[in-house]
Amino acid sequence: MSDFYHAALQKLGIRQKAYQATFREGSMQHSVLVDLADYAHAFMADPENLNNDQIREMHGRRQMFFRIFKHLKLTPPELESIARTALLHAAQRLQNKGTDNG
């Protein structure tokens, strides 16, 4: 489990560096990030009179944007905390799956 844990941490660190390199300030890609924030209404309230499907769509857009945003701003300890929690949840699911025999 220790090797798996360290491999997951390394993968998350590489992913963060890739996001940071891709969307670095001043790059053309940074303008894409700004456009995605606008498209996702990331920092705005939902427009008035949306139906349930439209509200879910806006929520999905925000989730996409903030996934990128989080990878750009996370510190190594925050990444480690996320990885540890995810690994614990995965282990619990596997353990529960093995005990659900009936």
Side-chain angles (χ1 to χ4, degrees):
M1 180 83 166
S2 178
D3 291 339
F4 179 72
Y5 175 74
H6 291 292
L9 280 180
Q10 181 179 16
K11 182 177 180 180
L12 287 173
I14 291 169
R15 183 184 304 155
Q16 181 186 30
K17 289 175 185 170
Y19 273 80
Q20 288 171 340
T22 300
F23 294 107
R24 71 185 178 281
E25 193 167 348
S27 69
M28 287 179 45
Q29 294 86 343
H30 186 74
S31 64
V32 171
L33 186 61
V34 172
D35 180 61
L36 290 173
D38 184 45
Y39 176 74
H41 290 249
F43 304 106
M44 298 176 276
D46 287 335
E48 296 285 324
N49 303 320
L50 295 179
N51 66 37
N52 286 337
D53 290 338
Q54 292 168 318
I55 290 170
R56 282 194 277 280
E57 180 181 344
M58 294 304 296
H59 181 70
R61 289 179 184 184
R62 282 190 189 103
Q63 285 181 319
M64 171 273 313
F65 173 76
F66 282 111
R67 175 176 174 78
I68 295 168
F69 192 75
K70 284 180 182 180
H71 277 82
L72 295 173
K73 298 295 182 183
L74 292 177
T75 64
E78 290 169 326
L79 282 170
E80 185 174 341
S81 174
I82 290 168
R84 186 180 320 113
T85 303
L87 290 171
L88 289 173
H89 287 168
Q92 288 171 346
R93 282 193 305 273
L94 288 173
Q95 185 178 20
N96 290 340
K97 193 174 190 178
T99 59
D100 292 339
N101 294 328

